[in-house]
Amino acid sequence: MGKIILWVLMAYGMTSILVWGSIFESTRLKIKQKSKFFGDLIECTLCTSTWVGFFMSLVLGSISSLYFETFWIVNFFFDAMFTAGSVWAINSIVEYYEEKR
């Protein structure tokens, strides 16, 4: 259970930095200027977190393989979908409380 929580927190942090972080602002602007598709993709929390999930699965190993014995490409896909869903859920909670302030 601890690995899942760590995975989700790392994914949320990485996605937040890529989508909203000032450190990548110039990179985001360049991407938007060169491609509308990739510009929209880098501004979308759900889209970016999916690719973060793919990246984490590739670099760290599959989190879903701890629970499911399937072909590696299936685990790769499940990791991306799990990451996207968990980051979206955390982001929704954060936005809800930001609106209540």
Side-chain angles (χ1 to χ4, degrees):
M1 185 64 155
K3 288 182 181 181
I4 290 178
I5 293 170
L6 184 60
W7 179 283
V8 169
L9 291 176
M10 286 189 312
Y12 180 74
M14 202 179 309
T15 301
S16 296
I17 289 170
L18 290 170
V19 174
W20 301 296
S22 61
I23 193 169
F24 287 112
E25 189 170 353
S26 62
T27 305
R28 281 193 307 272
L29 290 173
K30 288 177 188 173
I31 291 171
K32 286 183 211 175
Q33 289 172 351
K34 292 187 185 259
S35 170
K36 179 173 174 18
F37 175 77
F38 289 111
D40 291 344
L41 192 72
I42 197 73
E43 287 185 331
C44 170
T45 305
L46 192 59
C47 304
T48 303
S49 62
T50 303
W51 289 103
V52 166
F54 283 132
F55 175 76
M56 287 176 60
S57 184
L58 184 68
V59 172
L60 301 175
S62 175
I63 192 78
S64 62
S65 67
L66 298 174
Y67 303 98
F68 307 107
E69 293 185 24
T70 59
F71 192 58
W72 69 270
I73 195 88
V74 174
N75 287 338
F76 195 61
F77 176 77
F78 285 147
D79 290 343
M81 297 306 108
F82 171 71
T83 304
S86 58
V87 168
W88 174 82
I90 292 172
N91 188 56
S92 296
I93 292 167
V94 168
E95 284 182 351
Y96 173 79
Y97 283 108
E98 283 179 348
E99 289 175 5
K100 290 291 182 180
R101 282 196 291 172

